[in-house]
Structure formats: C-alpha cells, structure tokens
Amino acid sequence: MRTTLKKISIALTALLLVISFMPKLAFADAVPGDVIVTLGQNLSEEQKKDVLKRMELPDEYETIYVTNEEEHLYLGQYISASQIGNKALSSSKITIAPAGTGIQVTSDRISWVSNEMYANALVTAGVQDAEVYVTAPFEVSGTAALTGLIKAYETAADLDIPEEQKTVANEEMIRTAELAESIGSEEANELITRVKEEIASTDIKTEEEMRTIIIKLADEINVTLSDQETDELTALFMKMKDLDIDWDHLKDQLSKVRENFGNFVESEEAKSFLDSFIDAMKRFFDSIADLFRS
C-alpha cells in the first residue's frame, strides 16, 4: 500500500511539473509558414483591399486589428500625439520562419523607420525567426507598425510578451530613428546593435558605466553623439539591461540580423579600401601629369 501511494505521489508530481511548463512550451504552436496579418483599424475598405493585395498572401492566414489607442499606449511617451495621429493605418504581415533563420524585414511606403530598425527592435521585444513585411495605404513614418508586429507575433506564438519589454522595444525604435537623422541610418543601427551585444557580454551596473560604453562604441564607428543623445541612450539601455531577457539568445538573433542585412564592419572596411585605392590612383596620375609638365 505504501509503495502504491509513493508511485501515485511521484506520478502526480510529474504531472504538475508538466502542467507548470506548458506555457513555456506554447511556442511550439507556431509552425514555420504560419502567417498573421495586422491591419490598422481605421483603414477604409479600399485601403484594406490595396494593402492585402500588396502583401501577396497565401490561401490561409489569420487577421488581427491594431487600434489607434494601442499605438498611443506604446508610442505616446516618446513622440507627440500629432506625430502618432488619430487613425491606425500601418499594416503588416509576419510569417513564422524556420528556427535559425533570424528576422528579415521588408517594407513599402515607410518613410522614417528603416527595415533594420524594425528588426533590431523586434529582437529586443523577443521576436525571433520571422519574415516581416510592413506597409500602409500611403507613405507614413512607420512608427506605429511595431505595435502590430509584436501583437501578431504574440498571436502566432501563443505567448504574452511582457509590457515593459514591448515599451522598451518601441522606445528603441524611436531613439534609433531619431539618431539616424544626425549620424546616419547605418551608423545608428550599428551603434544600437553594438551596445546590446555589450550588455549581453558585460555586467554593467551603473549609469556612468553605460554612458562610458556608449561613447566608446560611438567613437569606434566614428560618430559623435550630443549630450542629449547620450543621455537618452543611457536611460534606454539601463532599462533594457534590467529586462528579463535571455541575452545569449538575443545576441544570437542580433547575429542573424547582421547576416540578413549585411555586416557594417565589412562594408566600412570595403569603403575604406576603395577610398584608399582611389587616392593612390589619383596621386599616381598626378605624378605622371607633373612629369610631362616638367
């Protein structure tokens, strides 16, 4: 009898353990090829038809709607209400990709947020291995689209991304877009990526340490930040480092983003080599010209 009770106890314990881990296994519900479409709630019927046509959708997909209230919720702290607008129009398609693919983003009619900015912010939000397409009925800044993308991924993967993680991802997108206006889009994305990689591998404790790292990494890619930009990035990354993020996994996803969008370091080296080559050729022909003139 005692042996039987012991076996029942062990079985119940095992069952409870399985149940407790079920939410963590929910991601298995997302199957490569699954497509979720997000539509701005304020699209007209004609606009909706146009957007869906350009998405080139499969026969089966799920549709969810994003409201203007949701857009203001995640963006209202960082940009003005007039910039967000009073209509939800940005739309997107997210396709679950095979494990190890990383995040790939293409966009259409988006004027301010680059594809790399979306990808970087999505990594921060916890999105992984997905093909993303962002569009609108006419040219828009693109800031509101991230709200729909995160919502779509939560639906596809059957999980709840923590609110603070969504908020930080949206702030990251805004800060990167603002930074791109002063130092360039490629440089802004590279700086954000390098700081996140540094957070993943370094135990940063104080704001001063974070500030020093940001300035050092900016110097490495030959850009100068204003005091305000440095302050804003320091505040952002201090919040980011305290999120409950699997930093090793995030670092891997960042690596995939680099592969998908090209390596900044290699491109800079290539440009440097080309510039040096052109200078050398110019000096060579100048010397020949001088020889004939003499």
Side-chain angles (χ1 to χ4, degrees), residues 155-174:
T155 300
D158 191 23
L159 54 80
D160 292 318
I161 296 171
E163 289 299 309
E164 59 270 23
Q165 199 161 338
K166 297 178 193 177
T167 301
V168 168
N170 274 277
E171 182 182 357
E172 175 190 331
M173 176 187 66
I174 297 299

Side-chain angles (χ1 to χ4, degrees), residues 55-74:
M55 286 183 180
E56 300 180 355
L57 294 163
D59 293 334
E60 294 185 9
Y61 60 90
E62 187 172 350
T63 303
I64 61 176
Y65 288 86
V66 179
T67 68
N68 187 241
E69 289 74 23
E70 289 173 308
E71 294 173 348
H72 280 270
L73 174 66
Y74 293 110

Side-chain angles (χ1 to χ4, degrees), residues 75-109:
L75 297 169
Q77 300 176 62
Y78 313 114
I79 54 178
S80 67
S82 61
Q83 194 171 349
I84 301 170
N86 56 12
K87 290 183 178 181
L89 300 171
S90 294
S91 302
S92 63
K93 176 180 74 171
I94 188 164
T95 307
I96 300 301
T101 303
I103 296 173
Q104 302 180 63
V105 182
T106 55
S107 62
D108 180 33
R109 299 178 179 175

Side-chain angles (χ1 to χ4, degrees), residues 113-129:
V113 181
S114 73
N115 296 339
E116 292 91 336
M117 291 174 199
Y118 283 125
N120 232 331
L122 287 168
V123 168
T124 298
V127 176
Q128 55 184 309
D129 302 323

Side-chain angles (χ1 to χ4, degrees), residues 71-224:
E71 294 173 348
H72 280 270
L73 174 66
Y74 293 110
L75 297 169
Q77 300 176 62
Y78 313 114
I79 54 178
S80 67
S82 61
Q83 194 171 349
I84 301 170
N86 56 12
K87 290 183 178 181
L89 300 171
S90 294
S91 302
S92 63
K93 176 180 74 171
I94 188 164
T95 307
I96 300 301
T101 303
I103 296 173
Q104 302 180 63
V105 182
T106 55
S107 62
D108 180 33
R109 299 178 179 175
I110 302 299
S111 63
W112 197 48
V113 181
S114 73
N115 296 339
E116 292 91 336
M117 291 174 199
Y118 283 125
N120 232 331
L122 287 168
V123 168
T124 298
V127 176
Q128 55 184 309
D129 302 323
E131 294 177 12
V132 170
Y133 173 66
V134 185
T135 190
F138 46 81
E139 191 169 280
V140 298
S141 67
T143 54
L146 187 63
T147 301
L149 289 168
I150 294 173
K151 191 172 182 179
Y153 187 75
E154 287 182 305
T155 300
D158 191 23
L159 54 80
D160 292 318
I161 296 171
E163 289 299 309
E164 59 270 23
Q165 199 161 338
K166 297 178 193 177
T167 301
V168 168
N170 274 277
E171 182 182 357
E172 175 190 331
M173 176 187 66
I174 297 299
R175 297 293 177 232
T176 311
E178 290 173 339
L179 196 59
E181 293 182 343
S182 61
I183 68 171
S185 182
E186 280 189 42
E187 289 80 1
N189 281 297
E190 180 65 16
L191 178 59
I192 298 299
T193 299
R194 289 194 185 198
V195 176
K196 288 199 283 192
E197 289 171 338
E198 191 74 20
I199 294 172
S201 57
T202 307
D203 184 19
I204 303 169
K205 297 185 182 300
T206 68
E207 285 191 12
E208 193 53 43
E209 288 176 334
M210 184 70 78
R211 187 182 180 86
T212 300
I213 285 169
I214 291 168
I215 293 171
K216 176 179 75 74
L217 293 175
D219 185 60
E220 285 180 5
I221 59 173
N222 298 315
V223 298
T224 302

